[in-house]
Amino acid sequence: MGIHERKEREKERRKEEILDAAQRVFFEKGLNSATMDEIAEAAELSKATLYLHFVSKEDLYLAVAIRGLGIAHELFKEAIDGGTTIVEKLNGVKKAYTTLFNTHRNYFRMFSFFQTPQFHKQVSDAMKDAFRVESNKNWEMIISFFARGVSEKRIRNDFDPVEMAIVIWSNAASLMSRIDSEAEVWKYRRNIDLNKTLETSFRLLIEAILTPEARLEYAELLRDEEKHIQFK
Amino acid sequence: MGIHERKEREKERRKEEILDAAQRVFFEKGLNSATMDEIAEAAELSKATLYLHFVSKEDLYLAVAIRGLGIAHELFKEAIDGGTTIVEKLNGVKKAYTTLFNTHRNYFRMFSFFQTPQFHKQVSDAMKDAFRVESNKNWEMIISFFARGVSEKRIRNDFDPVEMAIVIWSNAASLMSRIDSEAEVWKYRRNIDLNKTLETSFRLLIEAILTPEARLEYAELLRDEEKHIQFK
DNA sequence: TCTATTTACTGACTGACAGTAATACTTTAG
DNA sequence: CTAAAGTATTACTGTCAGTCAGTAAATAGA
């Protein structure tokens, strides 16, 4: 009796099709300017059908954002699995986050949207939970990596690894969102390159949490990277 | 010919009345849930009249937010004028920001709203400029304070004071917005008190930018505050 | 194979709400 | 006293999220 399974698969595929369409429209127009009619047309379905799969426009938006969390997860996983030492991995995570920002800008914007309290009212609890679960996977990975760094004595043990992760993360996120919306203003009015500021703050905070020996290794790694850049 | 002036004043007062009403409604419901009809009713005017003074709902929202920038300005001014030493002033600024967050939460939320790219489309350039001008006054004050700290050799001179200001500011803002929306989750799931995290990151960053001598003074100041808390 | 039922989908509608046009009322200027 | 300018309102329009009543197709049961 595979009919039920097939139906299930088809339903799932339809959902993905809707998500594909919604993603295209949301990426282009953002949450507010995108309309459900546009998404329906992009999906080649009637608007009412969208509501058979998602309870609201905001729900649909969040479902697209969850895809972004998956991409982020892969980037972080690659970074942590890729590096040989804790310091290398940490630098890799930093780069992964920068990549997320630079090459998946649309997803990045969606994530910050989830923060605004405005947003939450119109989203189903189920979708909110789904988002939190995915988001949590990413935090879990980062936090356990930090904890490992502490146990291997490469990251200071006089701060909570969770707190260190939150601080570094939040700092980067807020600078990035400032870059996204205000980079030209700062460049023009005060001749500040916020991208450089982001790099600097990353360096400051990473140095602040490393143990003295790890800090030396990190300095060396940065010197090597510098050299690499000069050669290209 | 004072008639023109009187008219001007009356128009200004009407505008303030509308702002008062809008503020009440926006604070209670947020941008999206608030309706212009509600605001009109709260202002005891017809909706069309609102549009004689503000070009859109978003414009009105931003006009309210600008009031918040004024409050922030006063708080920072008090802090900087109040302290005797650079370190004291710096600690005062930190407290001022915390006060802004804790006792003017609604304004704080409005500020972060301005960051989202979604928002900008529906706002008139005039209002955007007005917001930037006010916002700039605050930045100006903070940045020139940092610059003074550098010239008095209490703040490190190997970083750009503007960049230091941006980093500290952004870090605080992002942690606060996380506190605003996720405090319970972090407390419940990982037993993290984000308010403590905020304090820690403030301390870390402030220590990072002070010169060695100033850092000693800061440590002492924190000890005194600690004592004070125990006595109350 | 015929009929009943469930599933997937849709066109047409509704209600909410931002924004506007037409019009009335009030004050000022000549 | 009247024209002009300014202030306000009522009644409207257009847009859009979300819904409802119903259709068509697939499936299950006889």
Side-chain angles (χ1 to χ4, degrees), chain A residues 41-55:
Chain A
E41 185 167 350
E44 293 174 307
L45 288 167
S46 79
K47 183 165 61 160
T49 304
L50 304 186
Y51 284 92
L52 296 176
H53 297 270
F54 300 93
V55 306

Side-chain angles (χ1 to χ4, degrees), chain B residues 14 45-46 48-49 52-53:
Chain B
R14 185 44 43 104
L45 288 168
S46 78
T49 303
L52 295 176
H53 297 271

Side-chain angles (χ1 to χ4, degrees), chain B residues 163-178:
Chain B
E163 288 192 289
M164 289 190 279
I166 295 173
V167 170
I168 291 185
W169 194 272
S170 302
N171 178 70
S174 75
L175 276 173
M176 284 171 179
S177 103
R178 207 175 283 282

Side-chain angles (χ1 to χ4, degrees), chain B residues 52-194:
Chain B
L52 295 176
H53 297 271
F54 299 93
V55 307
S56 71
K57 183 170 131 172
E58 281 73 19
D59 248 50
L60 188 46
Y61 189 79
L62 210 52
V64 174
I66 288 175
R67 287 179 159 191
L69 290 178
I71 289 176
H73 190 87
E74 272 172 46
L75 286 171
F76 295 134
K77 196 167 156 42
E78 278 171 29
I80 291 175
D81 292 351
T84 54
T85 66
I86 292 287
V87 170
E88 245 181 70
K89 287 169 196 279
L90 184 56
N91 198 48
V93 169
K94 181 215 114 178
K95 279 187 181 165
Y97 202 9
T98 314
T99 302
L100 185 70
F101 176 59
N102 285 321
T103 75
H104 302 279
R105 185 68 61 95
N106 286 308
Y107 282 127
F108 177 85
R109 285 179 184 152
M110 285 184 135
F111 299 156
S112 44
F113 221 84
F114 187 62
Q115 292 263 3
T116 77
Q118 307 288 341
F119 188 76
H120 286 68
K121 302 183 206 168
Q122 287 134 314
V123 179
S124 71
D125 287 345
M127 194 57 83
K128 252 191 281 193
D129 284 347
F131 187 88
R132 269 200 229 287
V133 165
E134 288 305 308
S135 172
N136 210 40
K137 280 184 195 162
N138 291 346
W139 278 108
E140 195 59 60
M141 191 161 53
I142 300 294
I143 288 169
S144 64
F145 166 67
F146 270 66
R148 186 177 152 200
V150 172
S151 75
E152 291 190 15
K153 300 200 193 318
R154 311 301 287 170
I155 293 178
R156 290 168 65 167
N157 64 7
D158 53 343
F159 286 117
D160 186 327
V162 179
E163 288 192 289
M164 289 190 279
I166 295 173
V167 170
I168 291 185
W169 194 272
S170 302
N171 178 70
S174 75
L175 276 173
M176 284 171 179
S177 103
R178 207 175 283 282
I179 289 171
D180 195 31
S181 62
E182 302 176 358
E184 319 74 41
V185 182
W186 286 96
K187 184 74 204 161
Y188 175 72
R189 297 177 79 130
R190 307 199 190 256
N191 198 31
I192 293 290
D193 178 355
L194 286 182

Side-chain angles (χ1 to χ4, degrees), chain A residues 57-71:
Chain A
K57 184 170 130 173
E58 281 72 18
D59 247 50
L60 188 45
Y61 190 78
L62 210 52
V64 175
I66 288 175
R67 287 179 159 190
L69 290 178
I71 290 176

